[in-house]
């Protein structure tokens, strides 16, 4: 894989960061990031750019999904403000497990691995990361750590209606995955597809 380092031409480096991210580049951050590696898609070219170039790119395109895809924390802003929250890797695994069951049939009382009711899907997805949570939608809504809707992360359990009669798993981007009802397979819908009751994190 070719390594191309640009050390002095800051405007060119920043433009590369914007262009690469805009094209869907993969961003990889080291644990103690002083620079990031941007892999230009469909090429063997990777470019090491400093954090401030990523911050510059953030002014033009949304880089956070690429940072999340790399499983790393967002880069602190150049003005010293707090960075975006690091993605919850356990939560992402929960969301991914539930997403892997898209198309599975709904069956009341089922908790996988081939059919699910709403709380059966949330229970099963948590079990895939070694977490045991209550089995019913009402008990799930009353357990865990409450999360405000503006702080949702993938893997959080969202309950619906005043009695928390339905639950789904937040997957990011304002979407949930859930086992809706008889005759409907496990599917992805908007977060506000139904009236939200609350959200919790286990």
């Amino acid at each position: 894989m070719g390594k191309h380092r640009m050390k002095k031409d800051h405007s060119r480096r920043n433009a590369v960061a914007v262009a690469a991210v805009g094209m869907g580049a993969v961003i990889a951050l080291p644990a103690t990031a002083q620079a990031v590696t941007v892999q230009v898609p469909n090429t063997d070219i990777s470019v090491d750019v400093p954090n401030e170039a990523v911050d510059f790119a953030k002014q033009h395109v949304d880089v956070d999904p690429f940072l999340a895809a790399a499983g790393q924390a967002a880069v602190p802003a150049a003005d010293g403000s707090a960075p975006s929250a690091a993605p919850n890797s356990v939560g992402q695994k929960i969301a991914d497990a539930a997403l892997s069951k898209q198309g599975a049939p709904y069956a009341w009382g089922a908790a996988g691995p081939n059919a699910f009711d709403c709380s059966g899907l949330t229970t099963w997805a948590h079990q895939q990361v070694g977490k045991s949570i209550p089995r019913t939608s009402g008990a799930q809504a009353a357990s865990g750590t409450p999360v405000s809707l503006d702080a949702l992360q993938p893997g959080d359990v969202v309950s619906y209606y005043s009695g928390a009669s339905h639950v789904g798993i937040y997957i990011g981007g304002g979407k949930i995955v859930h086992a809706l009802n008889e005759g409907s397979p496990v599917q992805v819908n908007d977060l506000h597809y139904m009236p939200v009751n609350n959200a919790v994190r286990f």
Side-chain angles (χ1 to χ4, degrees):
M1 183 176 340
K3 283 275 188 187
H4 300 272
R5 298 180 187 270
M6 294 178 285
K7 297 186 178 177
K8 302 206 175 200
D9 188 345
H10 297 293
S11 61
R12 184 177 175 203
R13 178 178 56 209
N14 291 346
V16 167
V18 172
V21 171
M23 291 169 58
V26 174
I27 297 176
L29 292 174
T32 55
Q34 298 301 316
V36 297
T37 299
V38 177
Q39 177 68 44
V40 181
N42 302 317
T43 73
D44 64 350
I45 299 172
S46 61
V47 182
D48 289 343
V49 294
N51 291 346
E52 60 266 20
V54 174
D55 186 59
F56 176 86
K58 288 172 77 170
Q59 298 172 29
H60 303 278
V61 293
D62 182 11
V63 303
D64 287 339
F66 301 103
L67 296 172
Q72 301 289 342
V75 177
D79 63 5
S81 61
S84 302
N88 180 343
S89 60
V90 172
Q92 188 62 58
K93 289 176 183 175
I94 293 168
D96 290 345
L99 280 167
S100 75
K101 293 302 178 178
Q102 281 188 88
Y106 179 98
W108 188 84
N114 300 313
F116 303 88
D117 65 12
C118 67
S119 57
L121 178 64
T122 54
T123 300
W124 179 87
H126 281 77
Q127 287 172 345
Q128 305 317 296
V129 298
K131 288 182 177 281
S132 177
I133 67 172
R135 173 61 180 85
T136 65
S137 58
Q140 289 176 10
S143 304
T145 302
V147 178
S148 64
L149 295 185
D150 60 0
L152 284 172
Q153 292 183 6
D156 292 344
V157 174
V158 182
S159 71
Y160 291 90
Y161 303 105
S162 59
S165 59
H166 184 71
V167 286
I169 293 179
Y170 186 69
I171 59 172
K175 304 285 186 182
I176 61 159
V177 60
H178 60 150
L180 182 57
N181 54 35
E182 195 72 42
S184 298
V186 173
Q187 61 189 266
V188 172
N189 289 114
D190 289 336
L191 171 65
H192 294 286
Y193 182 71
M194 297 164 283
V196 174
N197 175 60
N198 77 337
V200 296
R201 185 173 301 148
F202 292 96

